[in-house]
Amino acid sequence: MADRIEIAKPLPSRKPCLTAVLRMAGLRPTRQRIALAELLFGGPHRHVSAEELHGEALAAKVNVSLATIYNTLHQFHEAGLLREVPVDASRSYFDTDTSDHHHFYVEDEQRMIDIPATSVVFDSLPQPPKGMAVTHVDVVIRVRKHQA
């Protein structure tokens, strides 16, 4: 009986799937958008800043400016593909998990950690201004390593 050699088949590209996702979100699937979507959504759920994504793009040989990264992240957010989590006036993270949840922000590591929505309980919320409705509540709890 002859030994059988199995040849590994390459994994299918996610590009057709990401192209469809971008189109369904109302975004034109440009080369740069697809490349950035692959970096954002090609692995596990995560939180990323524009600067971090820019570094990843350069390392992956995606020729894109930091301004384009910012524009694309905001376009993905407006289309509902990402959730923006501001941590201060000058810094936001973009979360690939758009479900209802909250965050710890580890200040000394500049890192976000998810908190399940059910772990934060409110007795009540203030009435929104007339003609407005609460769409969601974002809680960011700032933490740092305990000094012994």
Side-chain angles (χ1 to χ4, degrees):
M1 185 163 124
D3 289 334
R4 292 183 63 177
I5 298 174
E6 298 219 9
I7 299 172
K9 294 179 183 176
L11 293 174
S13 170
R14 291 178 46 96
K15 284 184 185 181
C17 180
L18 290 172
T19 298
V21 167
L22 292 174
R23 281 195 177 118
M24 287 189 303
L27 297 170
R28 194 165 52 90
T30 64
R31 181 186 53 78
Q32 288 180 328
R33 283 185 185 141
I34 292 169
L36 294 175
E38 285 180 326
L39 290 172
L40 286 165
F41 306 113
H45 148 72
R46 67 199 193 115
H47 309 92
V48 64
S49 69
E51 295 78 11
E52 290 168 341
L53 185 59
H54 186 243
E56 291 176 18
L58 294 177
K61 307 274 191 263
V62 177
N63 187 18
V64 63
S65 70
L66 184 57
T68 298
I69 296 282
Y70 273 104
N71 289 338
T72 302
L73 287 170
H74 287 290
Q75 290 165 353
F76 284 9
H77 166 65
E78 289 171 18
L81 300 175
L82 291 173
R83 181 174 171 185
E84 185 175 9
V85 183
V87 294
D88 59 41
S90 64
R91 188 165 186 88
S92 287
Y93 285 84
F94 291 86
D95 192 346
T96 59
D97 178 358
T98 59
S99 70
D100 188 23
H101 66 284
H102 308 289
H103 296 92
F104 284 115
Y105 177 63
V106 185
E107 292 178 325
D108 38 354
E109 298 176 14
Q110 296 184 336
R111 181 171 61 98
M112 304 290 293
I113 300 171
D114 288 337
I115 303 171
T118 56
S119 295
V120 177
V121 179
F122 297 95
D123 279 339
S124 65
L125 293 173
Q127 280 292 90
K130 187 174 181 168
M132 297 186 178
V134 174
T135 59
H136 64 276
V137 176
D138 289 322
V139 174
V140 176
I141 301 172
R142 301 172 80 85
V143 298
R144 67 177 58 202
K145 296 211 177 184
H146 179 65
Q147 303 295 321

